[in-house]
Amino acid sequence: MHVAYWVLAVLLAVFYAYAGGRKVSRSRERLQPMMGWVDRTPMWLVRVIGGLELAGAAGLVLPPLTGIAPVLALAAAAGLTIIQVGGIVVHVTRGEVQVIGLNIGLLAAGAVTVALATIWL
């Protein structure tokens, strides 16, 4: 269980650190080709989502690694899973059902990480 958690947590942390960092630091024009949904989303909200993704990435790894409040890893995994539910809703309402594959994969990985964190922590 420990190894499975760490594998998923590190993979998710790398993904969300990258995606969140882009949302926090890039302009709408630079995000648009990869994230079409930013065209109708206020940039402050895009930045908040990016910040939450960065916090979630840190929360998956740092608390269990340091032993300080490891239950935060469970909260981080749950929060990142909820972000993907929101992403799926956005894509479906925009008629972009064909692009939700990544969201579904991240949702599943997040849910498994929640389960592993619940068992382990």
Side-chain angles (χ1 to χ4, degrees):
M1 291 296 168
H2 296 277
V3 172
Y5 173 82
W6 280 112
V7 167
L8 273 176
V10 168
L11 289 173
L12 287 173
V14 167
F15 176 83
Y16 282 112
Y18 175 75
R22 289 176 66 99
K23 288 179 186 92
V24 166
S25 65
R26 300 239 172 146
S27 67
R28 181 184 311 273
E29 293 74 29
R30 291 187 67 195
L31 290 172
Q32 182 103 26
M34 190 173 186
M35 302 172 204
W37 57 272
V38 301
D39 64 346
R40 289 188 245 156
T41 306
M43 277 311 288
W44 67 265
L45 183 56
V46 174
R47 304 265 190 248
V48 166
I49 293 167
L52 291 171
E53 289 175 343
L54 287 169
L60 286 173
V61 176
L62 293 178
L65 190 64
T66 63
I68 300 171
V71 72
L72 291 176
L74 175 61
L80 292 171
T81 302
I82 291 168
I83 286 175
Q84 289 311 311
V85 171
I88 291 169
V89 169
V90 166
H91 286 305
V92 169
T93 58
R94 289 175 51 98
E96 302 169 341
V97 177
Q98 70 279 6
V99 299
I100 63 171
L102 177 61
N103 298 94
I104 291 170
L106 290 169
L107 175 72
V112 170
T113 305
V114 167
L116 290 170
T118 303
I119 293 167
W120 179 36
L121 302 172

